[in-house]
Amino acid sequence: MSLKLIEKHSSFDGLQYKYSHYSEVLQCDLTFSIYLPSNKEKKEIPLIWWLSGLTCTDDNFSQKSGFQRLAEKYQVAVIIPDTSPRGENVADDDAYDLGQGAGFYLNATQNPWAKNYKMYTYITDELSGIASTLVPNFSGKESIMGHSMGGHGALVIGMKNAARFKAISAFSPILNPSQVPWGIKAFSSYLGEDKANWKEWDASELIKETGVPPILISQGTADTFYPEQLEETTFLENARKNNQTVNYEKMEGYDHSYFFISTFLEDHFAFHVKQLR
Amino acid sequence: MSLKLIEKHSSFDGLQYKYSHYSEVLQCDLTFSIYLPSNKEKKEIPLIWWLSGLTCTDDNFSQKSGFQRLAEKYQVAVIIPDTSPRGENVADDDAYDLGQGAGFYLNATQNPWAKNYKMYTYITDELSGIASTLVPNFSGKESIMGHSMGGHGALVIGMKNAARFKAISAFSPILNPSQVPWGIKAFSSYLGEDKANWKEWDASELIKETGVPPILISQGTADTFYPEQLEETTFLENARKNNQTVNYEKMEGYDHSYFFISTFLEDHFAFHVKQLR
């Protein structure tokens, strides 16, 4: 493991870092950001993962959400991965919703994607190992949140690792990727046409499992991608059938932007912190 | 006056707008952003002006500072102008610190700049007229803040219009532009070589006048532009000689970025709101 520090900023008494490193899993160089609170009281610090949406890097949440105020207030570390492998030697597509910037937090099986597009293993294994070394006084407790494609990622990674993540939350998540245009396009490319292979990457399927962590979801009613890409009916129906703890909130007049995320981020942090204590 | 609404987002119960319009003063199309708080209690709403730094547009503060939480909390409207005239027919320079994105909030007198570079009159006259029509229940009370080149702008505009602006604050401002590289380059180009014409645009000169509004300044100690571009000695000395109310605070470890601004923005809002009531 060789990390290169590329940015470090004081922020709300804590420190906002940005690193680059070579990922063995993704076989490319990649950046990630991590915020460490001041920990003036020398307590054990939990870790929240933030997964971003289509076209984003780790910078969007770091620069636009205002999360640092909350991470310091609640004394949690926050790690923000990039959204896909990157670089000239990594397969890509001209569209914004496939290839670089659109990794969908899964492990691709199809060419030309299979070589690099392993964001699931990168996050749950390689970057997790790095994160645990970067958080001083790490409590070992983790939770996960995300937005849009990253909301899908948070739900899928959180439910597939239900013993590890104490809470899951999402803003405007892709809840049923097997049935909506963004998901169908990505899954067809990354996983192939056999839809049996899509199920393990679809939150509406995973919510049928037992032992799922508590889930909070916020969806704006003025979101131009809702309901087409962010349809919730199947997910909520399967959650209800299985008595899962899901709080799905609709926010009147809010759209798909970081203006929406920043407005309700404190509610999400409070929800996570309650589970992380 | 013909305004074109180009963005509208719900944010912290209020609304974040972005407009474009043709400026008669600048003789070009320009954008600006304005936030209106919810005003659930139907009170009179004051207006804070935010002036941005080199290379910025109205988007930087709108997207990176998290100010909307504070504007809603304190029930103030906030208007964010662009930093210069824009467009193919507007004079420009390859450098980031001259021409488009670097208007320095003055009225240029030298060619090729004199035709369009009138940011002082644009803000204090034309955009002020527009702003007063956009804030419902406007109290008529205003204050001004800014960052770096925009900190210079806030101080200069605020002190030149001391009866109008109830408070002035700045993050890492250019306090003595006549004596530092950024200012010397800009003033030589926009105002010509006769330094007598620079004085009315230099905060360290204007602070010698009487009736100056209360001033708060925050400067990070890890700012790579400090002290070279942001030197404070002359300004503070002249303020002291004239018994001006200036609170100049150094923040240990903070840099020139929006991570710094967002951390201390609540202190600045509280300072302004006290004067705007």
Side-chain angles (χ1 to χ4, degrees), chain A residues 22-41:
Chain A
Y22 179 79
S23 163
E24 299 287 344
V25 172
L26 304 178
Q27 296 187 49
C28 66
D29 287 316
L30 210 67
T31 63
F32 67 90
S33 291
I34 187 166
Y35 179 83
L36 301 179
S38 64
N39 198 11
K40 287 169 195 162
E41 297 181 13

Side-chain angles (χ1 to χ4, degrees), chain A residues 173-189:
Chain A
I174 306 171
L175 282 171
N176 198 358
S178 303
Q179 304 294 333
V180 303
W182 276 340
I184 291 169
K185 179 176 179 180
F187 285 10
S188 301
S189 301

Side-chain angles (χ1 to χ4, degrees), chain A residues 48 70-71 74 76 78 145 265-273:
Chain A
I48 297 177
L70 302 168
Y74 293 109
V76 296
V78 176
M145 53 171 81
L265 193 59
E266 180 143 21
D267 297 344
H268 283 240
F269 265 68
F271 168 77
H272 282 251
V273 166

Side-chain angles (χ1 to χ4, degrees), chain B residues 25-249:
Chain B
V25 171
L26 304 178
Q27 296 188 48
C28 67
D29 287 316
L30 210 68
T31 61
F32 68 89
S33 290
I34 188 166
Y35 180 82
L36 301 179
S38 64
N39 198 11
K40 287 169 195 162
E41 298 182 12
K42 308 289 177 197
K43 293 192 173 172
E44 292 204 315
I45 299 294
L47 176 64
I48 297 177
W49 291 76
W50 173 270
L51 305 185
S52 302
L54 287 166
T55 76
C56 290
T57 68
D58 51 314
D59 287 338
N60 300 65
F61 188 67
S62 172
Q63 296 180 2
K64 289 181 160 184
S65 71
F67 84 84
Q68 293 89 354
R69 181 180 70 88
L70 303 168
E72 174 64 15
K73 175 176 174 178
Y74 292 110
Q75 293 293 301
V76 296
V78 176
I79 187 163
I80 315 163
D82 200 346
T83 55
S84 77
R86 300 276 182 185
E88 279 182 24
N89 299 320
V90 171
D92 200 5
D93 187 278
D94 287 341
Y96 76 97
D97 54 0
L98 190 67
Q100 296 186 32
F104 270 82
Y105 304 103
L106 48 71
N107 288 338
T109 56
Q110 306 297 301
N111 289 326
W113 313 105
K115 181 188 167 203
N116 303 102
Y117 284 73
K118 306 283 187 192
M119 287 299 288
Y120 177 77
T121 298
Y122 168 69
I123 287 170
T124 56
D125 184 0
E126 188 176 21
L127 190 57
S128 292
I130 295 169
S132 65
T133 70
L134 291 177
V135 182
N137 260 18
F138 180 36
S139 72
K141 291 186 176 164
E142 295 171 86
S143 66
I144 190 162
M145 54 171 78
H147 173 230
S148 196
M149 175 184 76
H152 144 76
L155 286 157
V156 166
I157 290 177
M159 290 196 279
K160 282 168 83 81
N161 300 273
R164 176 174 166 190
F165 294 101
K166 308 300 179 204
I168 304 172
S169 80
F171 293 88
S172 16
I174 306 172
L175 282 172
N176 197 359
S178 304
Q179 304 293 333
V180 304
W182 276 339
I184 292 169
K185 180 176 179 181
F187 285 10
S188 302
S189 300
Y190 297 143
L191 303 171
E193 297 297 342
D194 182 353
K195 293 191 177 183
N197 297 327
W198 297 9
K199 291 191 175 182
E200 66 165 315
W201 306 108
D202 189 318
S204 293
E205 293 291 329
L206 294 168
I207 195 73
K208 297 176 183 172
E209 304 292 324
T210 55
V212 165
I215 294 172
L216 170 64
I217 296 170
S218 300
Q219 174 63 56
T221 63
D223 186 330
T224 52
F225 300 112
Y226 178 82
E228 187 187 21
Q229 306 281 7
L230 312 171
E231 210 276 319
E232 79 281 24
T233 316
T234 305
F235 178 84
L236 292 180
E237 195 175 297
N238 290 343
R240 199 168 44 243
K241 277 186 198 161
N242 290 273
N243 295 307
Q244 309 284 19
T245 309
V246 173
N247 185 3
Y248 183 89
E249 303 181 326

